[in-house]
Amino acid sequence: MLDEKQVKKWIYYFGYGKEDAQGDPSILGNKGYGLARMSSLGFPIPPGFTIITEGCSYYGQQGPTSAIWDQVVAALKGLEEATGKHFGAGPFPLLLSVRSGAKTSMPGMMDTLLNLGLNDATTELLGHATQDFRFAYDSYRRFIEMYGSLIMGIDYHLFVAVMERMQTVEQAHDAAGLSLDALHTVIDGYKKIILDHTGTTYPQDPFEQLKKAIAAIFASWNSPRAVTYRRLNHIEDQRGTAVTIQAMVFGNRGVDSLTGVLFTRNPSTGARSLFGEYLINAQGEELVSGLVTPRQVTKEGREAIQDPQEALEEKYPVVFSELSGLAMALEHHFAEMQDIEYTVEQGKVWLLQARNGKRSASAAVKIAVDMMQEGKIDACEVLKRIDYEQIERLLHPTLDADQTIEVLTQGLPAAPGVVSGAIAFTPEEVEHLSKNEHVILVREETSPDDIGSMAMAVGILTTKGGMTAHAAVVARGMGKPCVCGAQAITIDRQSSTLVIGQTKMKRGSYLTINGTTGEVIKGKVATVRPKPFPEFVTFMGLVDQSKRMEVRANAETVQDATVALSFGIAGIGLCRTEHMFFHADRMCLFRKMILTSCKAARADILTELKVVQKSDFIALFQILDGLPITVRLLDPPLHEFLPSQDIAELALQVGLPLDEVTKRMAQLAEVNPMLGNRGVRLAITFPEIYVMQLEALFEAALAVKQVALEIMLPLVFDAKEVVLLKKIIEEVYQKTAPQIRYKVGIMIELPRAALQAAILAPLVDFFSIGTNDLTQTTLGISRDDGAKFLDCYQQKGLLQADPFVTLDQEGVGELIQMAVARGRSANPNLKIGVCGEHGGDPASIAFFDSIGIDYISCSPYRVPIAKLAAAKVVAGH
Amino acid sequence: MLDEKQVKKWIYYFGYGKEDAQGDPSILGNKGYGLARMSSLGFPIPPGFTIITEGCSYYGQQGPTSAIWDQVVAALKGLEEATGKHFGAGPFPLLLSVRSGAKTSMPGMMDTLLNLGLNDATTELLGHATQDFRFAYDSYRRFIEMYGSLIMGIDYHLFVAVMERMQTVEQAHDAAGLSLDALHTVIDGYKKIILDHTGTTYPQDPFEQLKKAIAAIFASWNSPRAVTYRRLNHIEDQRGTAVTIQAMVFGNRGVDSLTGVLFTRNPSTGARSLFGEYLINAQGEELVSGLVTPRQVTKEGREAIQDPQEALEEKYPVVFSELSGLAMALEHHFAEMQDIEYTVEQGKVWLLQARNGKRSASAAVKIAVDMMQEGKIDACEVLKRIDYEQIERLLHPTLDADQTIEVLTQGLPAAPGVVSGAIAFTPEEVEHLSKNEHVILVREETSPDDIGSMAMAVGILTTKGGMTAHAAVVARGMGKPCVCGAQAITIDRQSSTLVIGQTKMKRGSYLTINGTTGEVIKGKVATVRPKPFPEFVTFMGLVDQSKRMEVRANAETVQDATVALSFGIAGIGLCRTEHMFFHADRMCLFRKMILTSCKAARADILTELKVVQKSDFIALFQILDGLPITVRLLDPPLHEFLPSQDIAELALQVGLPLDEVTKRMAQLAEVNPMLGNRGVRLAITFPEIYVMQLEALFEAALAVKQVALEIMLPLVFDAKEVVLLKKIIEEVYQKTAPQIRYKVGIMIELPRAALQAAILAPLVDFFSIGTNDLTQTTLGISRDDGAKFLDCYQQKGLLQADPFVTLDQEGVGELIQMAVARGRSANPNLKIGVCGEHGGDPASIAFFDSIGIDYISCSPYRVPIAKLAAAKVVAGH
């Protein structure tokens, strides 16, 4: 007997009156824990036991030491007693299912080995004991298949080929149709495959089989695929996989035996009806393999797909009744939609596994909202159950799964959604091609110069740049799918061709990008765009009630603002006035203004620009109907408005001499534009542009009246700048619209501004933390250039996440906290928001909530995600 | 009588038993204060009084109100009593000298008006009283000249022309040689000039003369020239000018009268001998005007310039004896070399002014050191008396003042020294021209690509960039004169011409730049390079004893290190290893390494580069002989090593296909290189380069043995980087030189590194604050681009100083303080230095001392300045 005080407990039992209730998923794995749980609740579970997850690393270091093995042997004894069967011996040999199960289920790890314990002798014994030699040898061939492929590493398809050959010979539909003789031939064929490929055979000793199976499962934890999966999915807090060893029950013991899966609700639609499949006279892995077509569990399900085969509900109503009762009890108990594996052995129902079922995004929302309305869960739990990816999937077109696609390469999933279009490499090509078809703009990287063509394209693909490069930011803002940094792609401008590995594609060829996954796919594909539905609306209402922070949108066009308003916003948190110059006709005017050296000409152009900017503001103010709008005055360096090529054409376009344009462009060129003449610095060096913008703003406000106007100054680093700018604003205000109310605020996007917050705060009504620029300057990383090494940093474990996606809380976060604390101490009425990409990132949003930020602002299509994040943090998730 | 309790006291007396001892220079101006001081000490001073500086603004607001004027009239009464003369009346009319004098003497302000009180009537009275009508009318014509030009604004040269005409007529050498008749004719001529130019005449009423003179002096305080001078010289704490009114004494009263100046030591050499000049029968302004050649005061002085005219010492030994006694007494009293104005009237010596004498840089050092050795002042006072410009002037060639120059424009004084050379616009031109002559490289801005040609050129002139742009930094490091940001210059590449206003200069034309003043001068000029001398060595010894902080130099070549060692350094604080690749042959290798995609080829090149880098390190280690050297591993982005033009030539040079080079360059290009793939990031993305550098370092250290090696990592932002890099360093170390000791430190040059100091400090031995990059990131200003708007910021009063020259203490300074405090709290043994431009800036150095920085490091030629600053701050200056 084990002295539990002295000896480490490696084994937890379930299913035969010896459940160890103390286990949890981190110790028992999700599978072992679920079985123990069900067993203790009285569900019909085949008895068994679990080697705990800690065994995984112990095994890795020590090999199959006696400590664990002794306890396995002892546990087997107990299992023999509980089942009345004997492992490796008659009269009724005990067979085992051996399964892996980590805390989080993990593709890439070995999964299940069935019928372990069979060898030439025990198979004969099993035939005698069950009086069913066909069943016994069917089980045996299944064992050899699985042992051979999973433990000995032989290609599974070799076994399948033998089976299929025999089915052809015997004219059988499936394995169940084979005769005993045929099975013997198959088994001989299997043995020959193993001998041919390994020079040896599988162990006849069941204990040896078990030892090897345990070792293989533990080893699979560290297989390259499993390691990669954990890294990619940030699963790093786990000890290893557990191994669950369970007495076999048999779905392949004749026509009153079957095996199947069952969902308590429809995983695709979320509808409140059972959904499942089954196979008669079969074992579970056949269902998984996809080699045979299963039948439907419910009549409704059968009718939905017009399946001619009888549903379980129709063919075995008693079994169905028992099974559906068990399923509903499980759902009730776990208060979650259950995905159940079951086997019926000669009429007796056994549950082999129950877990929370995977489901589509819309099903997730419907089920959570339904369960809340059924009183099964509370609002807080609803918020917890819906994740950001689901919301994202609900908002963007997704790939229709029913098709074959050829993935050419993978870039960064920069802006979600799937879209197909003809390849265009230049703005001119976009303009030309987009007259007749959808176009995908493919560039090394984009610049503000490309905005027009980005607007015309249906999607953007770049070979450089990261998740927050220009292309990505603009694409997300526009709600267009975008894949960035697809480094395997080379663009050959001369021949207007892109090259990915061996594939060459000319301009005009069709390409698909999946901005949700980063995949670049050859040709056109079919997509589906999910529709909003009542439960989604209910869910978002719940979100709105739960969050503390306000959520605003970054928008500068009526189109963007309309999208944002449709998601329900507290206002516009960032209206980038320079975006208003991006239309082709305005761009030309703006360029002319920058390039002319004639003061009078510049004044005339500014007057023209004022007219268009004013009308844009009027349209925005009208649609906002009194909601606040934070208007940021011109921010980027002026040369960003100029094309980098075709200066001759530019000169022609703006009607200025080429040498004058060349000279002016040289004057404007900057080595590090991000740290150059931009933001309020433009108001110091070119005051007339800001004055024009202010006039347009105040005149528009005066025209609309119902406006909550907030004027925002970018790139401030010193109080003197604010004092000067406030004076300029006040002068224009007094001159144009002294009866309109307005607020003035500044971006906190330079470290010095954060440090100086106490001096800046009393001068303004609000701070808006510009986390993009603040990250760039605090870390010294240009987001346009960072992709080149940030990838490398992440691979080498130097960075957990891209700091332009998820806020660097330690560094940038400390500066923000400083700005908040110092700002509020000096001006208790100060309102503090966050604009910039991090305003739409859940991890960052949780941080912003924790430090008392008043509102976040993000791109329109990100609003629901941001809201959910703001709600989740309040709910404590 | 004045009731001093009720009435504001505008007047302070001196020289007639009524000195007001309470005055100080800010109230009395430097002139009035000096006179009051001398008077109270018993020196022979003509009596007078001073209208205090506060009168200046009062006068400006109120006009000549009775409050001040009444007190002037009352004071005049006292003066009449003290002198026995009468203002505007006989028998002996009182004449006045009226002089301005602010706390700091100031060119651009009106200076001196003599003989005030003369008119047609009082001149006759004066002739009668002195029995010398020639003297009286000579004084009158002097009065009219000065009143006409200074008060009435008539061109002085018009009067001079009349005088000179008359001297020609009378064949007189000077004014003293004119007859009385001639003087009458001159005075008539003067009166006509005034009438012709103003339509009126000067006031005959002496009180009116005085009123106007006072008003004019007060008004001159706000003349544009005076205002500009104050702004440029940061003189902003002053109330205004005082007006000193003093009884005239006459150096023009015959051959026993004279006037002159006297320095108590030689202002040019600092020698301990009197130095001065005098004019017989003349008034002081003649000396100033430079129209006549004065005689020497001492025999020694006369002999030195081989002047045939007798010295004062020879001609008037009694006067000389009295005067030299007074001079030495003054020097003794003020413990400073004095610049004395004196007049001898009929044998009686009067002192008109004594002030600390201006002197050359070398004289300043010699005098201060001599005086210390004479026991007149202490070491602290010596430190106070020598300023940075003087040290700078002692180190760099300066313009020979004895020549006429044509200043074409003014840029920024980026690296001190004067140099002439032929204009070259490209590296190729430099290479070509420099074979035969000195060359000045003229570029819009420079890049690392230009290093070779900068080394070949004698000076650098750029049209863009600020005091810390690449050109400036490199030039200072090389000790070469440099003028940056000369925006008025346009370079026309096509015609190889530069244009400044109307002047066009071709390639090869001669140009001179004065890096000390920023002047760009046409043609060649003569320069003088001061030599070190014993007192300078003594002075620097004193500096070394006084400072707390260590001073190191930034150097990477034996040449630089030798210069630095000659100034006495505590080690090399920054050895930028990339500079070692700047020689043409190494550059080619390095480029090839960057550009080749063949791994094996790259490894071969790195091996070659290691050889040269190792030999460079050996040479440096040897010359340092055990002094510490901080070696910074590769810092700049790789593409900085590639030329921006002539890619075809580059391909040829490195022997790679053009399309491969083009492709690779596109891959390496960055939008914001300052925030790109550089610093330790290179060690993450291209580990082999750092490994090569480390091998070279350790192997060199092993070869030399006596080495205090400090390895420094640039651009760190996170502890994980340091951990990884330390591992790499340790691996190379164990493999190459495990018996050598070394330290590891990091640059603190990103805000995040400063914030994370407590986490970083325990990992390293030292921090080196990189203030250049820290300023760029904290303020979000690229130093290469900032010049464009920083000028504008300074003009509009938004910035006191260029933050790349003088540290921004509020913003960047707070981060540095944080880094110091957090770093030391986590690692008490942490050594903290500053490298970067601010390490050589006195104002910044004072701050670094105040926050407990251990050492500063600057370019070799800046070392003496840095030391002096470090000493001054300890001495409390």
Side-chain angles (χ1 to χ4, degrees), chain B residues 514-534:
Chain B
N514 186 345
T516 315
T517 61
E519 286 167 334
V520 179
I521 300 156
K522 197 167 180 179
K524 283 189 201 185
V525 298
T527 59
V528 270
R529 181 185 269 278
K531 293 253 154 60
F533 51 94

Side-chain angles (χ1 to χ4, degrees), chain A residues 565 570-572 616-631 697-710 737 739-742:
Chain A
L565 286 165
I572 288 180
D616 284 351
F617 285 137
I618 287 178
L620 270 180
F621 293 166
Q622 279 170 342
I623 198 177
L624 281 174
D625 195 25
L627 281 179
I629 174 168
T630 307
V631 179
L697 257 184
F698 284 122
E699 287 177 14
L702 194 67
V704 179
K705 298 276 185 323
Q706 179 77 340
V707 181
L709 178 58
E710 303 176 341
Q739 59 274 60
I740 295 296
R741 290 193 169 199
Y742 72 95

Side-chain angles (χ1 to χ4, degrees), chain A residues 301-316:
Chain A
R302 179 181 66 71
E303 286 166 356
I305 61 166
Q306 298 179 319
D307 184 355
Q309 304 181 96
E310 272 180 313
L312 184 72
E313 185 175 2
E314 296 160 323
K315 191 170 174 76
Y316 303 101

Side-chain angles (χ1 to χ4, degrees), chain A residues 12-21 28 31-50 246 326 330 333-334 350-354:
Chain A
Y12 283 66
Y13 307 91
F14 59 80
Y16 47 115
K18 284 190 73 173
E19 291 80 14
D20 295 291
L28 298 175
K31 206 167 285 164
Y33 175 69
L35 288 167
R37 202 56 203 283
M38 284 193 287
S39 160
S40 67
L41 292 168
F43 286 92
I45 305 296
F49 56 90
T50 299
Q246 204 174 3
L326 289 169
L330 276 170
H333 180 74
F334 292 108
W350 296 95
L351 302 186
L352 302 182
Q353 175 164 324

Side-chain angles (χ1 to χ4, degrees), chain A residues 464 721 793 808 814 822, chain B residues 666 721 752 793 808 814 822:
Chain A
K464 293 186 174 179
E721 295 171 320
Y793 265 66
D808 159 41
E814 185 182 354
R822 293 180 181 190
Chain B
E721 295 171 319
R752 195 179 194 277
Y793 266 66
D808 160 41
E814 184 181 356
R822 293 181 180 189

